[in-house]
Amino acid sequence: MSQKKFKGFSSLAVHGGHIKDPMYAHLTPIYASSTYVYDEAEQGMRRFSGKEEGYIYARWGNPTMNEAELKIVAMETYGLEKDGKALEAKAILHASGMAAISSLFISTLKRGDKVLTHFSLYSGTQDYLKSLLEPLEVEAIIVDLRNLNLAEKCLKEDPAIKMIYLETPANPTLQCVDLEALSKLAKQYGKLTACDNTFATPYLQQPFKFGIDFVMHSTTKFLNGHGTAIGGVLIGTDLEFMKTRATKTHRLLGGNSNAFDAFLLINGMRTLEVRMLRHCENATKVAAFLSNHPSIAKVNYNGLADHPDYAVSQRQMKHPGAMMSFELKGGFDAGVKFMNALQMCTRTVSLGTCDTLLSHPASMSHSSVPRESRLEYGITDGLIRLSVGIENIEDILEDFEQALKYK
Ligand SMILES: *Cc1c(COP(=O)(O)O)cnc(C)c1O
């Protein structure tokens, strides 16, 4: 079924990757079994040697997790071709986005290698580079990758760079990097490329289209879409690498997903297009409303023509997405008061769920970070981070309108 050419993304999101259940269950069940049995010893032999396909042990995979993987591959490669044939890829489901990032780095890098990356990255990834890779003598070179000349200079001068690691759009100011240009540069210098596609989802942006080698997601966010499970996925188009080194890393790292979370993810992904259409439609209206509000100094949204990366984002994304941030004129106090005044929208970190989520990094996620350091990343005192939900726009705007009258 996953091989069938669908005319539209939702048909693919609903049906793609489905494996017919031997018991005729409509939905792939939650396979709550740690291990899988053999009819005879020889079958065990064949499975372990790879001569026969089949499940062995759930840390390595199970039917529910496999269906989630196939659906993600179908979406990330939808409509893409390579050498006149449908582009092939393999996904490996993980316990979290961070576990997928771990598999990516551990399977591709060794001591002495360097990663070239952009300064605007998910905070966990940034911390990973510093706290886990640096002690293993894998260094991160962090620059502004929107400067392509600088990117090329780095590649030219430092042969130890093995990979360009990208995230676009990225927290908190929705900076975007040019996937096509950076992928071309990487190929020219023989480097790998990886892209965290969490904010965009495969519906809005397909990094493989631009020749990126690896895509990863925190499935916790828009792919699951309902905030019911933590998860992550690593997808690659080098099938040999994915089946050998990446698979081995995933199995030995122990960052496997589980059947229940995979089941929730599958069902979330079936509605990806319809959710994203509404998320995006609402986001456009929210951005326009915030831009015109007298209490707001600045709106960071890659869908606004004055955003520095508007052009790149228009080129590589179907729509700029549903993430944005804005700065309250009143600074830290205003941030706290505005958050407290919200009546419908949800005060929390994370993103990509049906409800509109807001956080005030200066008093929450970044409260322990020294002010000077957070300012470097654009996290100002009055910055509010926003994931626009799928509620009715009238209710979202009404809540903002009244909360912006905070005292
Ligand atoms: C949440 C997030 C991650 C980490 O994913 P977890 O599922 O929390 O481990 C990585 N990248 C981005 C962009 C994220 O938003």
Side-chain angles (χ1 to χ4, degrees), residues 44-215:
M45 249 159 74
R46 290 195 301 277
R47 289 217 187 139
F48 269 94
S49 69
K51 288 200 181 89
E52 178 183 306
E53 289 227 357
Y55 299 100
I56 294 174
Y57 187 59
R59 171 153 49 78
W60 297 13
N62 84 8
T64 327
M65 295 190 258
N66 194 210
E67 172 149 332
E69 291 169 338
L70 293 174
K71 202 182 273 302
I72 293 170
V73 164
M75 296 195 290
E76 280 291 355
T77 60
Y78 176 59
L80 304 185
E81 291 191 346
K82 192 183 178 185
D83 306 326
K85 285 194 305 224
L87 178 68
E88 285 188 88
K90 178 177 163 61
I92 305 176
L93 199 66
H94 285 74
S96 65
M98 290 316 298
I101 291 174
S102 298
S103 278
L104 169 72
F105 287 147
I106 293 171
S107 63
T108 53
L109 305 170
K110 59 176 193 323
R111 191 169 60 164
D113 287 343
K114 294 183 187 177
V115 184
L116 179 64
T117 191
H118 188 70
F119 60 86
S120 183
L121 283 184
Y122 175 69
S123 60
T125 311
Q126 222 154 36
D127 202 2
Y128 193 101
L129 294 171
K130 176 111 194 91
S131 304
L132 298 190
L133 287 189
E134 211 173 275
L136 298 174
E137 293 174 39
V138 173
E139 191 193 319
I141 302 173
I142 302 172
V143 296
D144 187 341
L145 285 178
R146 294 170 302 175
N147 181 341
L148 295 171
N149 290 331
L150 178 60
E152 176 151 27
K153 185 165 173 279
C154 294
L155 294 175
K156 206 181 271 177
E157 284 175 3
D158 201 340
I161 294 171
K162 179 87 185 285
M163 171 189 285
I164 309 186
Y165 182 85
L166 310 169
E167 186 180 321
T168 181
N171 235 352
T173 52
L174 283 297
Q175 290 185 3
C176 301
V177 292
D178 189 329
L179 291 173
E180 185 166 29
L182 288 165
S183 156
K184 257 192 202 146
L185 261 186
K187 287 207 164 49
Q188 194 182 326
Y189 288 86
K191 313 298 179 188
L192 295 171
T193 44
C195 177
D196 182 335
N197 204 26
T198 302
F199 274 28
T201 82
Y203 178 64
L204 300 180
Q205 173 176 278
Q206 291 170 294
F208 291 140
K209 185 170 161 187
F210 306 104
I212 298 292
D213 299 306
F214 298 99
V215 171

